[in-house]
Amino acid sequence: MTTVIAFQNLVKRYGKQLAVADLTANVESGKITGFLGPNGAGKSTSLRCLVGLAKPTSGEATIFGKRYQEIENPLSKVGTVLDSRGFHGSLTGAQNLRVMAAAAGIGNDRVDEVLSLVELSDAAGKRVKGYSLGMKQRLSLAGAILGDPEVLILDEPANGLDPAGIAWLRNFLRTLSGSGRTILVSSHQLAEMQNTVDNVLIINKGQLIADGNMKEIIGDGTLEEAFLRMTLGELQ
Amino acid sequence: MNLIKSEWRKLIYARAHWGLLIAATFISTLSVVVTPFIIDSQGELFGFGLDQTEAVDSTYANGISGYIFAIILGIMLMAGEFRHGTAVATFLTAPKRGSVLAAKLAIAAVGGVLIMWVSAGISFLAGYVTLMSFENVASPSENLFLNTMIASTIGGAVLGVIGVALGTLVRNQMLAITGALVYLFVIDPILLTVWPDTGKYLPTGLITAMLAIDVDAPELGFDTSNYLPPLEATGFLLLYGAVFAAVAVATSLRRDID
Ligand SMILES: Nc1ncnc2c1ncn2[C@@H]1O[C@H](COP(=O)(O)OP(=O)(O)OP(=O)(O)O)[C@@H](O)[C@H]1O
Ligand SMILES: [Mg+2]
């Protein structure tokens, strides 16, 4: 197995608050890896360290052995969806993507292409402040695939999607993974994760508590049972 | 080059930037248009009228009144990234933050110049039309328009650059803009009265000196004799900008992005 994403003794502290406590974990090439953990476990913080938006207090997080800042034209290698808002409300969806595309040396044709892939073509010319939560989420996904990257880092991409959107996202991730891409995806939708992901990383209070393939982790039960057992202690 | 193109798109896509252009044009046109009326009605008290070249020159000189909007544009280009949350997409696409800053400085300079050209150009036209309605109006001095264009170009670029530096240092857009306005229009004038000698090195004194277009009309407050020569003033302003940018690069530009 080849490691694509590596967290190496990652520590991130906000004042006294230890958000990520010595996280060491690897993400395998060509697989969908679910990144799970209760609220406040440190998932978003770890991912933000991974893509260079937050500076680790110590340790490091790398993609293809490099820190994100060292990757040449990162959009063409790594696509990212974070939980924070990232688009200018008074620009249209297409304009927001064209700004990103220009910076990455990508043409406007590709912008139209990804907008149609996320089924947002009809709203492409509409200002983002008029988008619904799910439409914003689709726009984020469009931004992530803009550079046709080999690696996707997705923080709660299903957030705000309707049932059809979630089904669409499942197929979307499977198609991307089927073509050899590596996907690290955080989510609280465990039933959905159980059907979609190959490997699982579970963290709690900033520490890794489980790491393995789905079958190993869940045994005979469901992902939800395994998750609750590990994060809350034994179920009565 | 890609980053420049991306920043250029941010400049022209956002409606707020066009609003700044309109506001700058409105302010400068207004001050050019009202000046002849003030001179015409009050000038006699000082023995100063539109039949004098200085009076006509100082009318047109108000065409650079939109300069404050070049600073605001610069602030919005950087601080707006944090306000709207687009900093996330920007720095994911271009994680080398120094390069993004450099591209923004360049585009802010271009945007500042455009604001100054358009606002000064339109107010000149308006001034020309307004002056036609008066009788016995002197011609402006020969170099007035050339000097004003040079002042607009240098001024717009320098003030745009300073705005970006400020907006990088103070990420909060409202704070940066109100801070800049309060500083320029309240604190600087106070400092000026307390320490008159240092006044020419303070930003307002430097801006006035930089934009000074050889118009001297003390009767109208166009008294530039106490200020530095325009080139020196421009240098000092750029120094302020460089210090802000350097402090920003060492501090706020390194901070985490939410
Ligand atoms: N910018 C910040 N400043 C201070 N504390 C922070 C910051 N970002 C995160 N934290 C803290 O770090 C911890 C981990 O937060 P994080 O957002 O990484 O959790 P998460 O696993 O993504 O949670 P969720 O499932 O709710 O999204 C939390 O205790 C949070 O309060
Ligand atoms: Mg989170």
Side-chain angles (χ1 to χ4, degrees):
Chain A
M1 89 170 215
T2 344
T3 294
V4 172
I5 296 172
F7 298 98
Q8 190 68 49
N9 300 107
L10 182 69
V11 176
K12 178 66 182 179
R13 208 179 261 289
Y14 292 105
K16 281 187 183 158
Q17 170 85 44
L18 195 55
V20 183
D22 200 23
L23 174 68
T24 298
N26 294 324
V27 173
E28 255 182 83
S29 163
K31 296 273 163 59
I32 305 182
T33 301
F35 194 31
L36 314 178
N39 292 133
K43 303 178 297 295
S44 299
T45 305
S46 306
L47 297 180
R48 280 162 21 93
C49 288
L50 182 61
V51 294
L53 294 177
K55 189 168 180 275
T57 306
S58 66
E60 61 175 8
T62 54
I63 305 171
F64 299 120
K66 289 180 178 170
R67 291 187 311 128
Y68 189 85
Q69 293 93 316
E70 297 161 352
I71 301 173
E72 202 59 46
N73 199 2
L75 231 52
S76 64
K77 309 265 170 21
V78 185
T80 309
V81 170
L82 292 181
D83 58 354
S84 45
R85 46 199 188 118
F87 293 111
H88 198 303
S90 68
L91 267 59
T92 66
Q95 284 178 327
N96 270 291
L97 293 185
R98 280 189 216 133
V99 166
M100 287 173 74
I106 296 166
N108 289 343
D109 298 352
R110 176 66 185 165
V111 168
D112 300 336
E113 204 174 299
V114 295
L115 280 167
S116 102
L117 277 173
V118 301
E119 298 173 0
L120 216 51
S121 297
D122 291 343
K126 202 170 145 180
R127 290 179 201 287
V128 168
K129 67 177 154 216
Y131 278 23
S132 70
L133 184 57
M135 289 163 81
K136 284 182 191 152
Q137 201 63 24
R138 285 168 189 258
L139 186 62
S140 296
L141 284 159
I145 56 171
L146 195 56
D148 196 15
E150 298 153 57
V151 180
L152 283 158
I153 296 165
L154 311 173
D155 197 1
E156 301 190 39
N159 217 355
L161 294 182
D162 56 19
I166 289 178
W168 166 84
L169 179 66
R170 185 191 313 134
N171 287 327
F172 183 70
L173 294 184
R174 281 190 183 144
T175 312
L176 289 170
S177 150
S179 57
R181 289 177 175 80
T182 307
I183 302 171
L184 178 60
V185 52
S186 90
S187 177
H188 291 297
Q189 312 203 326
L190 299 181
E192 185 61 35
M193 286 275 118
Q194 188 175 343
N195 290 324
T196 318
V197 310
D198 307 305
N199 294 333
V200 180
L201 293 175
I202 305 180
I203 64 171
N204 193 16
K205 301 194 175 102
Q207 282 174 321
L208 187 69
I209 56 170
D211 174 5
N213 71 41
M214 183 63 76
K215 281 215 184 66
E216 280 168 28
I217 301 277
I218 65 177
D220 293 332
T222 65
L223 181 58
E224 183 178 73
E225 286 163 2
F227 179 89
L228 292 176
R229 192 168 58 238
M230 285 186 255
T231 54
L232 297 176
E234 285 292 331
L235 284 179
Q236 301 301 305
Chain B
M1 224 41 225
N2 287 344
L3 284 180
I4 298 272
K5 187 170 170 192
S6 177
E7 292 301 326
W8 171 255
R9 287 183 173 179
K10 289 177 193 170
L11 177 73
I12 60 170
Y13 286 163
R15 281 198 295 187
H17 302 155
W18 295 95
L20 291 178
L21 178 65
I22 292 168
T25 306
F26 178 76
I27 295 285
S28 59
T29 304
L30 188 70
S31 49
V32 167
V33 168
V34 299
T35 308
F37 292 96
I38 295 173
I39 294 176
D40 197 47
S41 60
Q42 309 286 314
E44 273 172 41
L45 291 174
F46 314 103
F48 188 73
L50 291 170
D51 53 348
Q52 282 163 281
T53 303
E54 288 96 331
V56 174
D57 282 2
S58 50
T59 296
Y60 283 117
N62 281 309
I64 53 166
S65 309
Y67 71 84
I68 190 73
F69 293 98
I71 303 185
I72 296 179
L73 174 73
I75 293 176
M76 283 173 60
L77 282 177
M78 185 56 106
E81 294 263 7
F82 297 100
R83 170 156 185 241
H84 299 287
T86 49
V88 170
T90 297
F91 291 115
L92 281 175
T93 311
K96 297 198 172 72
R97 298 184 188 178
S99 314
V100 173
L101 176 62
K104 277 195 192 294
L105 289 170
I107 288 301
V110 172
V113 171
L114 290 177
I115 282 187
M116 292 302 282
W117 279 356
V118 171
S119 65
I122 291 178
S123 39
F124 282 176
L125 280 178
Y128 181 77
V129 172
T130 309
L131 285 171
M132 283 202 307
S133 67
F134 291 88
E135 281 165 18
N136 258 335
V137 175
S139 305
S141 51
E142 207 179 322
N143 288 328
L144 178 77
F145 292 109
L146 180 65
N147 286 338
T148 318
M149 282 329 274
I150 294 173
S152 307
T153 309
I154 296 175
V158 170
L159 296 176
V161 161
I162 287 182
V164 169
L166 264 177
T168 313
L169 196 56
V170 184
R171 280 185 184 185
N172 183 316
Q173 179 175 304
M174 276 316 286
L175 193 67
I177 293 176
T178 38
L181 293 178
V182 167
Y183 181 81
L184 287 178
F185 296 114
V186 181
I187 300 183
D188 237 15
I190 294 176
L191 292 178
L192 216 78
T193 51
V194 183
W195 294 292
D197 296 345
T198 57
K200 58 182 171 186
Y201 297 108
L202 295 176
T204 32
L206 293 171
I207 292 171
T208 314
M210 173 175 70
L211 299 179
I213 28 197
D214 286 337
V215 176
D216 257 317
E219 299 89 342
L220 287 170
F222 276 94
D223 184 2
T224 52
S225 51
N226 283 324
Y227 292 123
L228 294 175
L231 264 182
E232 246 173 82
T234 306
F236 267 103
L237 274 174
L238 281 175
L239 199 65
Y240 272 99
V243 170
F244 291 154
V247 174
V249 165
T251 57
S252 61
L253 202 59
R254 296 194 180 185
R255 294 215 317 258
D256 290 355
I257 288 158
D258 303 298

